[in-house]
Amino acid sequence: MRVLFLSVAFISLLGCASTKKEFVFNGSSETSIQNDISYMLQKLPNRKRVDFAAALVAIQFSDVTSAVDLLDDPTMESINYYILSKKMDGLTYKQVMELAANSPTKVSVKVSPH
């Protein structure tokens, strides 16, 4: 009986250890979201990494209504972690991808053969 109990307990612990909690982005600061984005980019396979980067662009530019908005705003010349921190705080990877898919800004990546 003791062996059975220990076996069940061991298997239960293995199950808990192998169940990973879904990653949630921390948008409490620009630094935290930058770190989380870097972490996610390292963990994703190549194709998903490209899709994720495109999603970040779509999210950042989702509130842009015209090219004039971009011309006079130097903060939009590169990745704006302030904007991303506000829009991604508390979201999972899946939710970030859904947010990007629902953005009025559409981003596509075309890979050319070498």
Side-chain angles (χ1 to χ4, degrees):
M1 182 71 163
R2 184 175 177 187
V3 172
L4 177 62
F5 174 76
L6 289 175
S7 298
V8 171
F10 180 73
I11 291 170
S12 296
L13 285 174
L14 279 178
C16 292
S18 65
T19 304
K20 70 177 190 178
K21 187 176 175 186
E22 194 163 8
F23 183 80
V24 176
F25 289 93
N26 177 359
S28 62
S29 70
E30 293 176 54
T31 302
S32 63
I33 200 70
Q34 184 176 7
N35 291 339
D36 286 355
I37 289 169
S38 294
Y39 170 82
M40 187 59 65
L41 287 169
Q42 291 172 0
K43 294 296 180 185
L44 292 171
N46 285 340
R47 181 62 197 158
K48 284 191 175 189
R49 191 177 305 146
V50 171
D51 292 341
F52 180 66
L56 295 177
V57 174
I59 291 168
Q60 178 174 330
F61 292 102
S62 64
D63 296 331
V64 174
T65 56
S66 73
V68 175
D69 294 341
L70 298 175
L71 295 175
D72 296 331
D73 191 352
T75 64
M76 296 301 244
E77 292 176 2
S78 62
I79 295 176
N80 187 316
Y81 292 107
Y82 176 77
I83 292 172
L84 294 175
S85 70
K86 299 303 175 211
K87 293 184 178 190
M88 293 171 55
D89 186 35
L91 300 182
T92 64
Y93 171 80
K94 182 179 177 185
Q95 291 170 323
V96 167
M97 299 307 285
E98 289 171 0
L99 179 63
N102 293 326
S103 171
T105 304
K106 301 301 176 201
V107 178
S108 62
V109 178
K110 190 173 186 177
V111 179
S112 61
H114 289 82

